[in-house]
Amino acid sequence: MKPLFLTASIAALVLAACAPANEAPAGDAASGEEAGAEETVSPESAPLPVDLGSPVFEETADDYTIRAVVDSRIAAFQPALAEDLMTAAKSRLEAFKADAIADGTAARERSAATGEENWFRPYSMEIRFTPSAQAGDVIGIEQFTMVDTGGAHPNYILTGLVHERGDEYPISLEAVVTDMSGYGASLKKHLIEAKSERAYDDTHRQNVPAEVEEILGSDAEAASKFGQNFTLAPSTEAGKFGGITVLFSPYDAGPYAEGSYEITVPAAELSGKLTPAWEGRFGGEPDLPAENPQ
């Protein structure tokens, strides 16, 4: 068995994705006529501000490869938000880089001192920010964080962010949803459907409801434990969001081999469960891609 030099901060990176600080209370999104005003954001939008540089940051050395990508549509929505995301990503990548160098050095020193095989292989980490939906002054973002420290397989984490233009902090679920139990019940229902589709046989499929109940807990617990990791789904209706999408990383709702889940609670099921500021922002049907790219 190879020695384990994996540092504590790398282990933490595997368990928590990077995001701007969100300790401060998040404000409600603006309501009224602005909620229906959709702004078009094209992939061909202008690049990030000059002081931020390229929307892609990459660095490779003997012990590590690190990379961060902020989609240019986020910069078009709000340059300062794109800069904040890139700055937060670079900070996490720098910590990962330092740990990779430390682990690589320790492994080489141990190999030289004992004659054992040097087990160390270069570490890698990538952080990507991609918009999931945007309408008016609100944007939903999906953050993908991949970490590979030479184990049996890389791991990745999905994190949802929702930002209102001009607000430094992500919007909290409590600012959007009032009926947590109802929201949690819908989340569990759609997760059962998604897991059932991936079930490998009828026996496993029959066990899915009990498995979801055990993992997510009560309806209220499902909302508070997992429903907070949310972003927004695009809609078939212009200027609206088609639902709330909850992100489950590998291991959250099943074994690693089962993969991740992106579970959307449609706008129709959110009716009556939302705060006044958000009730008018949802409508139509979720306009989701045919296949999850992750």
Side-chain angles (χ1 to χ4, degrees):
M1 172 181 257
K2 67 185 181 183
L4 182 62
F5 291 109
L6 184 65
T7 56
S9 53
I10 287 181
L13 285 168
V14 175
L15 298 175
C18 87
N22 60 1
E23 288 81 3
D28 288 352
S31 57
E33 294 183 356
E34 289 184 355
E38 183 178 23
E39 297 183 11
T40 302
V41 180
S42 140
E44 293 77 35
S45 299
L48 300 186
V50 173
D51 59 346
L52 178 58
S54 170
V56 178
F57 166 78
E58 296 181 282
E59 188 174 308
T60 300
D62 290 342
D63 291 335
Y64 63 88
T65 295
I66 54 178
R67 187 170 189 261
V69 182
V70 178
D71 192 293
S72 62
R73 290 169 291 180
I74 299 173
F77 172 79
Q78 184 180 0
L81 173 59
E83 185 170 1
D84 286 348
L85 294 174
M86 180 62 83
T87 299
K90 283 184 175 180
S91 177
R92 285 298 183 94
L93 291 173
E94 284 296 322
F96 182 85
K97 166 183 167 180
D99 289 342
I101 293 171
D103 285 357
T105 300
R108 287 187 291 272
E109 290 176 349
R110 182 183 180 93
S111 178
T114 65
E116 297 176 358
E117 178 185 359
N118 179 3
W119 61 267
F120 182 82
R121 299 295 180 268
Y123 292 170
S124 62
M125 183 177 187
E126 178 174 351
I127 302 170
R128 298 200 308 263
F129 298 94
T130 307
S132 61
Q134 187 251 317
D137 58 350
V138 172
I139 189 169
I141 297 171
E142 180 174 318
Q143 176 184 318
F144 173 88
T145 303
M146 186 280 296
V147 176
D148 186 356
T149 55
H153 54 73
N155 195 23
Y156 64 93
I157 300 162
L158 305 180
T159 305
L161 301 169
V162 176
H163 276 271
E164 182 181 10
R165 186 183 285 111
D167 193 346
E168 177 182 359
Y169 300 102
I171 294 171
S172 68
L173 180 65
E174 289 77 10
V176 180
V177 176
T178 55
D179 181 2
M180 290 294 180
S181 292
Y183 166 70
S186 289
L187 174 59
K188 288 164 66 174
K189 179 186 75 172
H190 290 289
L191 180 59
I192 289 171
E193 293 170 354
K195 284 179 67 69
S196 295
E197 289 179 1
R198 295 189 192 177
Y200 50 81
D201 60 29
D202 289 341
T203 300
H204 184 215
R205 193 170 294 108
Q206 292 170 3
N207 292 333
V208 166
E211 182 183 354
V212 169
E213 191 70 26
E214 180 179 358
I215 294 171
L216 269 61
S218 68
D219 295 345
E221 289 171 336
S224 63
K225 289 196 299 185
F226 294 97
Q228 301 273 356
N229 189 22
F230 77 103
T231 186
L232 300 170
S235 175
T236 55
E237 183 177 342
K240 302 288 186 178
F241 295 111
I244 292 175
T245 299
V246 178
L247 306 177
F248 292 84
S249 301
Y251 298 117
D252 282 349
Y256 181 85
E258 197 170 313
S260 59
Y261 288 94
E262 301 188 14
I263 305 301
T264 298
V265 179
E269 293 183 26
L270 292 172
S271 179
K273 301 179 178 68
L274 302 169
T275 62
W278 277 83
E279 189 71 44
R281 288 189 178 270
F282 290 90
E285 299 292 331
D287 188 13
L288 302 173
E291 186 174 339
N292 184 346
Q294 303 298 348

